[in-house]
Amino acid sequence: MTTHRIERLRAALARAGLDALALVPGANLWYLLGLTIHPSERLAIAFIPAAGPIRVVLPALEQPRAAAEARVPVRWYPWRDDTGYEAVLRACAGDLQLGGRLGVEYTAMRLLELRAIEAVARVETIDATGLLAELRMVKDTDELAAMRAAVRAVEAGLAAAIAAIRPGVTEREIAAAWEQAMRAAGSAEPAFTTIVASGPNSANPHHTTGERQIQTGDLVILDGGARVGGYVSDITRTVAVGEIDAELRRVYEIVREANAAGVAAARPSVSGAQIDAAARSVIEQAGYGAYFIHRTGHGLGLETHEPPYLHAANRAPLPSGATFTVEPGIYLPGRGGVRIEDDVVLTDHGAERLTTFPRELIVC
Ligand code: GLY
Ligand code: MN
Ligand code: MN
């Protein structure tokens, strides 16, 4: 399968007129070669030329594990702390006859790697982020199975988190209950920092989970993700603690309707902009447009945020097999917020929800 990925990559390199691709540790390296080289201050670069052997420069201590992990043939260029990487990188660049147009990851490559490459080869660096995102956007059966497993783990954790909610418990304690149950259900790690935002804190979409104690009348936003087999899930539910304000109750139903409208609008060949508009118009027509302060969703896979993005500027048609979140929200400063986030996969017949957790308001 990975060989197939390399073939697809090489076809994309040819279309983009690139002579080679340089990858640093991260999701693309795992996707294409199967390597999980530990990201650190030490230099590690994989070079995939348009034709010829794949070559990887890496710290010597990483080589045994990398050699065991590699899903395609690789020539290794290990370097040691006491001798440094310059000579090894130079030898690798020579063997590659590195030059011309080199694709790099603009959001991941550091000046460390860029300057090191420029010191040993004359290259024009080109952003390959979009090309790589396109390869990863359509998920195959194995990838979807991993994402479904990540959904099962996060939802098991979410049930435990909601069970832990009562007046006096802190946001941090609820997040800990979630993460522990999620791990017990098979998650290797949280996909991102678990968000538990209570009362007025729920009006901040990216609140930092803290020591606030839950009170009766709070809305509590719970936003978490699991990782299984490399792939992530990302779910948000908002619950009420006892009796809540009538306007907040209304706002909850508007967001639930916006979530349903976004999912209903999602079909292959529809754009991220159209799905965003479908969800956003429900909130705008209810008079809360100014309080929906983020995009409707984002792609999901090896990373929690990856293309496609669901906002007004993304007019590209979405392919069948794309996976993304639909997560409208309304945030009333000083009072509270509601977000309802589901993960979906596009099929030829429309969007299929991966997340199954109930969306009706849960009162704790
Ligand atoms: N927790 C970040 C997000 O839902 O995108
Ligand atoms: Mn999300
Ligand atoms: Mn989320």
Side-chain angles (χ1 to χ4, degrees), residues 147-360:
M147 291 184 70
R148 287 181 202 280
V151 166
R152 283 195 293 276
V154 81
E155 291 191 337
L158 178 55
I162 291 174
I165 294 178
R166 60 187 162 275
V169 172
T170 67
E171 294 174 348
R172 195 187 300 278
E173 287 166 336
I174 296 163
W178 190 346
E179 290 180 7
Q180 191 183 355
M182 187 160 83
R183 200 175 286 271
S187 175
E189 59 180 2
F192 52 88
T193 307
T194 306
I195 299 172
V196 176
S198 63
N201 293 342
S202 61
N204 174 2
H206 277 171
H207 168 67
T208 303
T209 304
E211 299 301 334
R212 184 179 181 278
Q213 295 181 332
I214 303 300
Q215 296 173 20
T216 300
D218 280 354
L219 280 175
V220 184
I221 288 183
L222 303 128
D223 183 355
R227 185 183 294 276
V228 177
Y231 287 81
V232 302
S233 52
D234 180 9
I235 189 169
T236 305
R237 289 294 182 266
T238 305
V239 302
V241 183
E243 188 87 2
I244 58 165
D245 178 280
E247 185 181 11
L248 296 179
R249 187 76 182 72
R250 244 186 351 266
V251 158
Y252 186 91
E253 291 308 322
I254 296 162
V255 173
R256 187 153 78 101
E257 205 186 309
N259 169 291
V263 173
R267 297 182 302 281
S269 85
V270 157
S271 70
Q274 286 170 290
I275 300 170
D276 180 77
R280 196 169 299 277
S281 67
V282 171
I283 292 176
E284 283 171 349
Q285 280 164 26
Y288 289 96
Y291 302 99
F292 179 15
I293 52 178
H294 54 72
R295 62 194 176 194
T296 290
H298 53 83
L300 194 69
L302 288 172
E303 293 173 288
T304 304
H305 289 175
E306 60 179 49
Y309 297 109
L310 275 52
H311 56 62
N314 185 7
R315 306 205 159 271
L318 300 177
S320 183
T323 47
F324 51 86
T325 69
V326 176
E327 51 178 304
I330 295 176
Y331 307 91
L332 304 180
R335 299 180 60 199
V338 174
R339 178 165 67 257
I340 302 175
E341 174 176 33
D342 285 303
D343 305 340
V344 305
V345 56
L346 279 193
T347 73
D348 292 338
H349 314 292
E352 183 194 329
R353 288 184 197 266
L354 300 174
T355 37
T356 63
F357 210 87
R359 282 175 296 283
E360 294 78 19

Side-chain angles (χ1 to χ4, degrees), residues 21-96:
L21 175 71
L23 297 177
V24 296
N28 291 319
L29 186 63
W30 188 89
Y31 182 79
L32 289 166
L33 305 184
L35 303 182
T36 58
I37 298 172
H38 186 69
S40 80
E41 77 288 358
R42 293 181 170 107
L43 178 134
I45 310 174
F47 294 97
I48 306 176
I54 295 168
R55 301 172 197 268
V56 176
V57 178
L58 79 176
L61 83 160
E62 298 280 353
Q63 190 189 344
R65 190 167 59 101
E69 284 178 340
R71 288 188 242 134
V72 291
V74 167
R75 301 211 180 154
W76 304 101
Y77 293 76
W79 62 270
R80 291 178 9 182
D81 288 323
D82 53 357
T83 47
Y85 58 75
E86 286 84 356
V88 173
L89 180 61
R90 191 173 297 280
C92 177
D95 294 344
L96 281 161

